[in-house]
């Protein structure tokens, strides 16, 4: 799939899902002093950005070391996106999780809430398919992290203004779009695989 700067940015925003992360951040920061919450959010966003940026530069080497093809990454990334998107549209029943009573660091906010498996697979896919446009993908990642930072820093205000029901509705709409993107990614990968098999036979 050939992405543009705009489509890559939208895809990364859908995958990092800042709206869906609002409840996760709110719960994790429950025991953090209100005056420190913004600093913690920005720190976690910066950690996630650093990890994703690192994957953009070492992605090709990682694929070579692991002996993975772009095709397997495309199909595998599509499967991961599809599963993540399904959880956005049909969230599992909430379970009683142990609360984090100290200030969170890296886990679970930076990883996997922001820089999860689907985000890592996506930046690898972007760079492996069009490495000559790496600066565009870095720009798209910067915009994505900026959007995530603004949304999460303003999370309490957003929840007050639009309410929890609209937050859930927005997340499910983003999930629906992401399902379509994941299916398209898998179909293109399968089509390429079939063409390669047909050409080899």
């Amino acid at each position: 799939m050939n992405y543009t700067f705009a489509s890559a940015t939208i895809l990364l925003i859908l995958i990092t899902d800042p709206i869906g992360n609002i409840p996760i951040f709110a719960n994790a920061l429950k025991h953090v002093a209100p005056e420190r919450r913004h600093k913690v959010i920005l720190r976690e966003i910066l950690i996630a950005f650093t990890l994703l940026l690192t994957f953009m530069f070492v992605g090709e080497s990682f694929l070579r070391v692991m002996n993975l093809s772009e095709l397997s990454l495309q199909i595998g990334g599509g499967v991961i996106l599809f599963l993540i998107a399904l959880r956005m549209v049909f969230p599992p029943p909430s379970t009683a999780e142990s609360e984090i009573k100290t200030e969170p660091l890296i886990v679970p906010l930076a990883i996997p809430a922001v820089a999860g498996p689907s985000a890592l697979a996506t930046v690898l896919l972007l760079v492996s398919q069009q490495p000559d446009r790496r600066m565009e993908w870095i720009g798209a990642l910067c915009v994505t992290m900026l959007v995530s930072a603004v949304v999460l820093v303003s999370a309490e205000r957003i929840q007050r203004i639009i309410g929890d029901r609209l937050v859930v509705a927005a997340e499910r709409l983003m999930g629906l779009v992401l399902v379509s993107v994941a299916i398209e990614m898998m179909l293109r990968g399968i089509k390429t695989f079939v063409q390669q098999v047909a050409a080899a036979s």
Side-chain angles (χ1 to χ4, degrees), residues 156-177:
E156 293 179 13
R157 192 174 305 157
I158 291 172
Q159 283 183 305
R160 283 199 303 268
I161 293 173
I162 69 176
D164 291 337
R165 292 178 67 182
L166 280 180
V167 169
V168 172
E171 182 185 12
R172 292 188 180 176
L173 179 60
M174 291 169 70
L176 182 61
V177 175

Side-chain angles (χ1 to χ4, degrees), residues 76-106:
V79 171
I80 293 175
L81 286 186
F82 183 74
L83 294 175
I84 295 291
L86 280 185
R87 288 175 63 88
M88 291 168 66
V89 179
F90 305 107
S94 56
T95 56
E97 297 181 357
S98 56
E99 290 188 356
I100 300 173
K101 296 188 177 181
T102 58
E103 184 176 297
L105 177 63
I106 302 179

Side-chain angles (χ1 to χ4, degrees), residues 51-70 72-74 76-77 80 116-128 131 134:
L51 177 62
L52 292 170
L53 189 63
T54 301
F55 260 66
M56 278 194 173
F57 282 96
V58 303
E60 292 173 275
S61 302
F62 176 78
L63 290 178
R64 284 196 299 270
V65 169
M66 298 301 293
N67 198 26
L68 296 173
S69 67
E70 293 179 15
S72 64
L73 181 63
Q74 182 171 343
I80 293 175
S118 54
L120 294 171
T122 301
V123 295
L124 275 174
L125 186 64
L126 287 172
V127 175
S128 65
R134 194 189 307 269

